[in-house]
Amino acid sequence: DADVTQTPRNRITKTGKRIMLECSQTKGHDRMYWYRQDPGLGLRLIYYSFDVKDINKGEISDGYSVSRQAQAKFSLSLESAIPNQTALYFCATSDTSGSRTGANVLTFGAGSRLTVL
Amino acid sequence: QKEVEQDPGPLSVPEGAIVSLNCTYSNSAFQYFMWYRQYSRKGPELLMYTYSSGNKEDGRFTAQVDKSSKYISLFIRDSQPSDSATYLCAMSGNYQLIWGAGTKLIIKP
């Protein structure tokens, strides 16, 4: 099984629908992230969480919300999907050993491709 | 201007060639410089990272950082078709990562 699992892998939905993307990890990492990837724009951070009680906005959080249900689970919600939220979404994890080195190495899931019509 | 600039490519080279992938950046506070490789329909995976200036070698891959020029490079020797992927640079100075847009690399057999 993958260390970081994202569901669903692909989803097509309509404008205005509520969508939830789920992420679970078996790495035992305390930090979890949601990114979106668009062609030519690279990875942009939506939300991140350093532990269950610590949730922070990233650079593009508008229109998104998150829930950290447990150390191993971090879900991303689009309350009312719009077409410009069509993108590839990645969940990632890292652990606090990065705080000793400063490198903050991320482990990514395989991605969730979302299409909003 | 983006904090990290990376040519999106695609860069197409014949098998066996030496490949040079590059990123420039503007924030002198960056201390860690990373290269991730992303295959089609997969998430990025860490290839290697370097702290501050200098070179780091891992098999056919060499990462190079020139902080005075704010320029980093990834060299791939004896490139193989299996190296075809998108390569993303990333940098951090305080645990937050700033990403380049990624360069799509195609190695032709």
Side-chain angles (χ1 to χ4, degrees):
Chain A
D1 288 343
D3 292 327
V4 182
T5 302
Q6 292 184 232
T7 56
R9 292 293 314 279
N10 291 282
R11 181 71 184 269
I12 300 173
T13 191
K14 294 182 179 180
T15 298
K17 294 292 188 181
R18 184 177 187 274
I19 295 296
M20 178 180 286
L21 306 179
E22 297 186 330
C23 177
S24 62
Q25 53 121 342
T26 58
K27 299 282 288 183
H29 287 171
D30 48 359
R31 301 179 177 190
M32 298 187 75
Y33 310 80
W34 276 104
Y35 283 92
R36 80 176 262 178
Q37 187 176 42
D38 299 274
L41 296 179
L43 288 163
R44 292 183 291 167
L45 184 62
I46 306 172
Y47 272 94
Y48 62 102
S49 170
F50 284 176
D51 65 39
V52 174
K53 296 181 180 179
D54 180 23
I55 303 237
N56 304 280
K57 293 182 177 181
E59 62 178 298
I60 54 162
S61 59
D62 287 349
Y64 301 95
S65 62
V66 291
S67 174
R68 185 85 183 262
Q69 300 94 328
Q71 189 201 29
K73 295 184 182 295
F74 193 36
S75 60
L76 176 71
S77 294
L78 289 69
E79 296 301 325
S80 180
I82 56 177
N84 77 0
Q85 291 177 313
T86 293
L88 187 54
Y89 290 85
F90 285 104
C91 175
T93 70
S94 68
D95 68 12
T96 50
S97 66
S99 67
R100 295 195 295 273
T101 66
N104 198 24
V105 173
L106 302 186
T107 301
F108 284 85
S112 296
R113 183 169 297 279
L114 176 66
T115 302
V116 184
L117 302 176
Chain B
Q1 183 186 4
K2 294 181 181 178
E3 279 193 279
V4 178
E5 298 278 359
Q6 185 177 12
D7 187 333
L11 176 63
S12 183
V13 301
E15 182 177 356
I18 296 175
V19 175
S20 173
L21 303 168
N22 311 293
C23 290
T24 59
Y25 63 95
S26 57
N27 188 341
S28 58
F30 291 145
Q31 294 286 347
Y32 291 90
F33 304 90
M34 304 171 187
W35 287 96
Y36 282 75
R37 178 175 60 195
Q38 184 178 15
Y39 290 115
S40 181
R41 301 182 187 280
K42 301 284 189 183
E45 57 179 352
L46 181 71
L47 201 54
M48 55 197 309
Y49 76 87
T50 309
Y51 173 71
S52 193
S53 285
N55 292 359
K56 186 173 184 178
E57 187 173 321
D58 184 1
R60 296 184 294 111
F61 298 87
T62 299
Q64 193 172 80
V65 175
D66 182 350
K67 292 193 75 178
S68 61
S69 301
K70 296 189 178 68
Y71 189 89
I72 70 170
S73 300
L74 177 70
F75 298 96
I76 307 174
R77 293 185 300 279
D78 187 25
S79 56
Q80 304 294 311
S82 59
D83 295 328
S84 297
T86 296
Y87 290 80
L88 301 99
C89 63
M91 309 177 187
S92 69
N94 190 23
Y95 317 126
Q96 291 288 357
L97 283 175
I98 307 299
W99 295 84
T103 298
K104 184 173 183 178
L105 175 64
I106 300 169
I107 307 298
K108 298 176 294 183

